[in-house]
Amino acid sequence: MSETRNDLLRYLAINAKDEDWGIVVTTVGYQFISPGCSYPLSKHPEKYNFKPQTGRILNEYQLVYITKGKGYFSSQSCKSRLIKAGTMILLFPGEWHSYYPDKNTGWDEYWVGFRGIHIDKRVENKFFTKEEPLHQIGLSATIIGLYEDILKFASEEKSGYQQMISSIVLHILGYVYYKEKNNSFANTYITNKINEARILMKDNLDMPLSPEEIAVRLKLSYSWFRRMFKEYTGVSPARYQSQLKHLRAKELLTSSTLTISEIAYSLHFENAGQFSTFFKKKEGITPSDFRHRTH
């Protein structure tokens, strides 16, 4: 009977073509720390050397997913915090940090290290910040499966595997961001009102309601409605309606026999010229050219 491994650690080779992809994976692994055991289990090369008492500084990003137990985390930009199962830790290059499991519980952790312009850009645009490195995404078999996929592709080392596993890392980052955003809207009243507003907008494209009228129908103050709508969707109510109008125009140009003028009228533009200007600004080409390309 084979013994189950409690840790696995891989460091990955990277070539110039991999770098051109915009993101590369440097390391991946897991550790299952039993209560009372020393931490970490794995022997790291010098640049990855980790002692919980003194912490470390990396030259890459890492996503560390705690799937069992609890422990502690601190960094240069984040004071000491208790962390529990379901926490994703994002470590930043050049940022001192330390984390370790509680001796009484131990913990299970998966990690993947990576670097590149794709993650640098996301940090630059504040999708992720050093001040908030802990993300409560809950326990997810899907995310564990993605770590296991990275390990599988890395162990096989087939041509193009770096492009595959680095794209999986971007998938994980997207999941973390999605969960974090939606966790901040746990208040069902807010999400229900925003969803009601979006239904009203979609159902009334032929006779559009102004954002102010929508707020009145939902018995909300307009300022509150506009602020919460933009916070949730990323755009103002008026911009969202404009996007719906653009999508509806594309559907009609693709699937209907209506003339350009008839489509303009159905979407409440003053004339075909105004519609054409609107559409070209959104799509980059005129409605006529769009119809020609899709037929």
Side-chain angles (χ1 to χ4, degrees):
M1 184 175 179
S2 61
E3 184 180 351
T4 302
R5 287 200 63 166
N6 288 323
D7 69 315
L8 181 62
L9 170 64
R10 292 191 182 279
Y11 295 97
L12 310 180
I14 299 163
N15 62 42
K17 194 68 175 175
D18 297 332
E19 299 278 7
D20 290 341
W21 187 252
I23 181 170
V24 292
V25 176
T26 55
T27 178
V28 62
Y30 60 76
Q31 294 186 91
F32 302 151
I33 310 298
S34 299
C37 285
S38 61
Y39 179 80
L41 294 176
S42 299
K43 300 294 185 184
H44 293 262
E46 188 58 36
K47 69 175 182 175
Y48 290 95
N49 191 36
F50 184 54
K51 295 179 181 178
Q53 297 85 356
T54 57
R56 66 178 174 185
I57 298 175
L58 295 171
N59 62 359
E60 63 185 29
Y61 299 90
Q62 284 194 10
L63 280 169
V64 182
Y65 188 33
I66 308 304
T67 60
K68 183 181 178 182
K70 64 180 180 179
Y72 306 90
F73 173 87
S74 59
S75 71
Q76 185 177 327
S77 304
C78 176
K79 65 181 182 180
S80 181
R81 294 192 199 174
L82 175 69
I83 53 179
K84 59 184 180 179
T87 301
M88 181 72 79
I89 308 169
L90 177 57
L91 305 175
F92 293 80
E95 175 87 348
W96 176 88
H97 62 267
S98 178
Y99 56 92
Y100 54 92
D102 187 299
K103 282 281 188 183
N104 294 319
T105 66
W107 74 19
D108 291 358
E109 71 173 66
Y110 292 81
W111 77 85
V112 59
F114 52 99
R115 55 180 167 78
I117 57 173
H118 285 326
I119 177 60
D120 290 341
K121 197 70 175 175
R122 286 160 173 78
V123 172
E124 181 185 328
N125 289 321
K126 309 268 185 216
F127 286 99
F128 302 99
T129 67
K130 295 176 182 178
E131 292 73 25
E132 294 294 337
L134 305 179
H135 305 273
Q136 310 306 323
I137 67 169
L139 293 175
S140 169
T142 299
I143 295 300
I144 294 173
L146 291 174
Y147 277 96
E148 291 172 344
D149 285 345
I150 294 172
L151 281 162
K152 174 178 173 290
F153 286 115
S155 67
E156 294 172 352
E157 290 189 284
K158 292 183 178 179
S159 180
Y161 87 95
Q162 265 287 350
Q163 286 69 29
M164 174 63 83
I165 63 177
S166 59
S167 297
I168 295 174
V169 169
L170 290 176
H171 183 161
I172 296 173
L173 283 168
Y175 184 95
V176 171
Y177 182 76
Y178 173 84
K179 289 290 288 186
E180 193 91 324
K181 286 290 287 183
N182 283 276
N183 285 346
S184 68
F185 286 95
N187 186 323
T188 54
Y189 176 80
I190 294 173
T191 54
N192 286 344
K193 287 298 181 183
I194 291 169
N195 286 332
E196 285 180 47
R198 291 196 288 194
I199 290 169
L200 280 173
M201 293 175 184
K202 290 173 183 176
D203 288 348
N204 290 278
L205 268 178
D206 295 335
M207 293 291 289
L209 300 168
S210 71
E212 291 83 357
E213 289 172 322
I214 292 171
V216 169
R217 286 203 181 192
L218 297 178
K219 297 181 172 57
L220 303 172
S221 78
Y222 174 66
S223 60
W224 184 91
F225 166 62
R226 187 183 187 284
R227 178 169 58 84
M228 296 309 300
F229 190 95
K230 186 172 184 179
E231 195 172 317
Y232 187 84
T233 65
V235 295
S236 68
R239 178 66 64 86
Y240 186 83
Q241 287 179 301
S242 178
Q243 290 176 349
L244 290 178
K245 189 180 284 191
H246 172 220
L247 294 174
R248 180 60 176 156
K250 289 172 70 173
E251 290 174 7
L252 292 173
L253 288 166
T254 302
S255 60
S256 80
T257 57
L258 294 175
T259 66
I260 302 299
S261 293
E262 287 170 334
I263 292 173
Y265 177 77
S266 72
L267 292 175
H268 290 265
F269 288 94
E270 291 182 9
N271 51 55
Q274 187 189 55
F275 169 55
S276 184
T277 300
F278 164 85
F279 191 88
K280 188 172 183 179
K281 185 177 179 181
K282 294 282 189 183
E283 196 68 26
I285 56 176
T286 66
S288 298
D289 287 341
F290 180 84
R291 173 169 271 177
H292 178 72
R293 290 185 185 184
T294 55
H295 281 77

